[in-house]
Amino acid sequence: MSGSGASQESERQSQEEGSSCYDTFSSQDRESILESTNSSQDASAGSQSGEENSDSGSETESESEESQLEIGKSSEEQTESSAEESPFSQGEDLTKKGFQAPFPSEFGCPRTQCEHCITENKQNEQVMPRLLSRGQFLLKVDCEGTYQCAQTGLIFEVNRKTDIKYSVLSWSKYADLVVKPWIVGGPLFDVKCDPAILVSIQFPHSLCLGYHESLMMFKVFHVTKSGPALESTVNHSTTHVKWHVSSLSPVGPVIQTQETVQHHGAVILYKVIDSHPSLSFRVYVATNNDSFIRDIAKAVKHSSKKFIKIDKPPVCLKLLENGKRYRLVSEPEAEITPEEIEFVDGSLLKLKSYIEVFLEQPLEFKLSLVELDSEEIVWKAKLRECDWVQRDQNQNIQKNNTNLNRRRKMKDSLPEEENYMKRMKQIDTSDNQQNKSGPDLQQLPTSEV
C-alpha cells in the first residue's frame, strides 16, 4: 500500500509540474528542438494539414480510391483540400447490424476485447465523418455534446455547433522531438477547429494498461509555435487519453513508464503484383495505431513494385511486447526472410521493417506468427488464390471505369467557347466540301443551253 501511495503521489506531482510543458527537456535540447521545429514549420508553411508539402502537388486521387487498388509510384501528403467531399453521410446509426464503414482499411484496425484491460461502460454518441480527399475527415456536429468518430476513435467534446477537420499524421516527421524516456502511445493527429468551441479531445491509444496502469504516466505531445510541448492530461482509460484543448496543431499521446510496454498489435499483408506465377508477400507486424498503419500504406505505395492489400483479420490474438522475438511460420513451407524478428514499435521510424514471404508455386497456405518464448500463436491466417485473383480482376475493372469516367468528365468540362469553335470548324469543313462539288452541278444546265 505504501508503494502504491508513493507512486500515485509521484504521478500527481509530475502532473502538477506539467504546466511548464518542457519538464523532460534540457535547455540545450530545447534550443536544438526549437530550431528543428521552426525549420520544419517553415518548410511546411502553406500546408494546412501538417504533412510534408513537397509531396502534395503530385497527388491526384483521393485516399479512398488509392487504397482500393493499384498501389504504384506517386507522392502524397496531407494538405487541406478544396476538392468535393465524398458522399458519406455523417451521424449514421452504427448499431445497425452489418454496418460497414465506407473508408479505406489503412485507417487503423478494429480493436478486439482485451482480457487484460478493464472494460468501461461509457457510451458516447458515435458519428460517421465525411472523408475528404487526401485522407482528411470532416465531422459536423449540430449541438453541444460529446461525439466519437467511428473511423479514428477520436472523442470530441464541444460546447456548441461546429465543424471539425482532422487527419492522421506520421510520427516519423517528429521523431527528433520525442525525447526519451517518453515513447509514442497512440496516433498523431492534426485537428482544425475553434479552440473556444472544442473543449476536450480524447485520443485513442494502442497500449494494454493491464495491471500497471498506476505506474504509467500519460502526456500529450503538442507542437506549438514556440516549440514542442508535453502537456498534462485530464485522465486516461484503457482506450483513451483525455486532454483539455489549449490550442490546435499536431497532437498525440505519449507515455512514460518503468514497466515493459505491451501493445495491441496488427499484422498487415500485401501481395506483389507481377506476371510471375510465383507468390511474393510483404508481412508487416505493427502496433494497432492509425499513424503506424498509414505509414505502412505509404511505404508500400512508394515502392518500385506494385501491391494489393490482402484482406485478412489483422488484429493480433496476443499482446506484442517490445524486445520479444517472434517467428513467422508457413504451411506448406515457404521462403521467409527474416524468419525471426525482435518486435519494436516502429512509429518513429521512417523506414518500416517487414517480412518477405515467397512461394514458388501459387498454392493456398497458412501463415502464423509465433512468440518464441511461449510458442503461443499471436496471429494466423489462411491465404487462398481467391484472396488475390478476384481482387486483381476487380481492381482492373475499377481502374478502367475510373479512367473512362475521367475522360468523360474532361470532355464534358470543355469550355463552351472551345465547343463552339469545334462546331464552327465542322461547319466550315462541310461547306468546303459542298463548294468543291458545287460548280460541276451548276454548269450542267449552262452546257445544255
Side-chain angles (χ1 to χ4, degrees), residues 15 122 202 218 232-237 240-243:
Q15 290 181 348
K122 287 186 178 180
Q202 294 184 47
F218 279 95
S232 297
T233 61
V234 178
N235 54 48
H236 63 267
S237 68
H240 287 78
V241 179
K242 187 174 182 179
W243 170 67

Side-chain angles (χ1 to χ4, degrees), residues 146-389:
T146 303
Y147 304 88
Q148 181 167 4
C149 170
Q151 184 57 35
T152 63
L154 282 170
I155 301 176
F156 302 103
E157 181 186 0
V158 299
N159 54 27
R160 60 178 180 271
K161 178 180 178 180
T162 189
D163 292 351
I164 309 171
K165 286 185 178 181
Y166 50 100
S167 55
V168 180
L169 301 182
S170 173
W171 275 104
S172 62
K173 182 178 178 181
Y174 304 96
D176 294 338
L177 307 182
V178 181
V179 183
K180 289 184 178 181
W182 296 96
I183 60 174
V184 171
L188 185 70
F189 294 94
D190 184 27
V191 183
K192 292 180 174 63
C193 184
D194 186 350
I197 299 176
L198 186 56
V199 179
S200 70
I201 302 175
Q202 294 184 47
F203 302 98
H205 65 76
S206 57
L207 305 174
C208 177
L209 303 187
Y211 304 104
H212 307 292
E213 183 175 355
S214 61
L215 303 178
M216 295 184 178
M217 182 188 304
F218 279 95
K219 296 271 188 178
V220 169
F221 175 80
H222 186 192
V223 181
T224 65
K225 292 182 179 179
S226 59
L230 293 176
E231 298 189 358
S232 297
T233 61
V234 178
N235 54 48
H236 63 267
S237 68
T238 56
T239 58
H240 287 78
V241 179
K242 187 174 182 179
W243 170 67
H244 273 156
V245 174
S246 55
S247 63
L248 290 173
S249 58
V251 283
V254 292
I255 186 175
Q256 178 182 355
T257 180
Q258 301 297 327
E259 299 292 326
T260 302
V261 178
Q262 295 180 318
H263 300 267
H264 297 285
V267 176
I268 316 295
L269 298 174
Y270 287 92
K271 179 189 176 294
V272 176
I273 302 175
D274 54 29
S275 58
H276 300 292
S278 58
L279 302 179
S280 182
F281 296 85
R282 282 188 181 184
V283 181
Y284 289 87
V285 182
T287 58
N288 196 351
N289 174 328
D290 282 6
S291 292
F292 198 157
I293 293 172
R294 196 158 188 265
D295 281 350
I296 291 173
K298 289 182 181 180
V300 171
K301 179 180 175 181
H302 296 161
S303 172
S304 58
K305 298 179 181 179
K306 297 179 181 179
F307 294 83
I308 57 171
K309 189 172 184 295
I310 303 300
D311 187 16
K312 291 295 176 182
V315 179
C316 291
L317 307 173
K318 182 178 171 63
L319 298 172
L320 298 177
E321 189 173 314
N322 278 353
K324 278 199 172 182
R325 299 192 65 81
Y326 299 86
R327 176 189 292 127
L328 190 65
V329 179
S330 172
E331 299 178 14
E333 187 176 350
E335 295 181 26
I336 299 178
T337 309
E339 292 184 353
E340 298 179 6
I341 61 168
E342 179 179 336
F343 177 76
V344 293
D345 179 13
S347 298
L348 296 174
L349 302 177
K350 189 169 185 179
L351 298 177
K352 309 300 182 185
S353 61
Y354 61 88
I355 304 172
E356 183 183 46
V357 178
F358 178 81
L359 290 92
E360 192 69 38
Q361 299 297 327
L363 304 172
E364 68 176 38
F365 64 103
K366 295 180 181 179
L367 283 178
S368 303
L369 186 67
V370 180
E371 182 184 282
L372 288 183
D373 291 345
S374 64
E375 293 295 329
E376 293 183 3
I377 295 178
V378 176
W379 170 90
K380 61 181 178 179
K382 185 172 184 178
L383 286 81
R384 307 170 181 86
E385 189 175 5
C386 60
D387 290 329
W388 55 83
V389 171

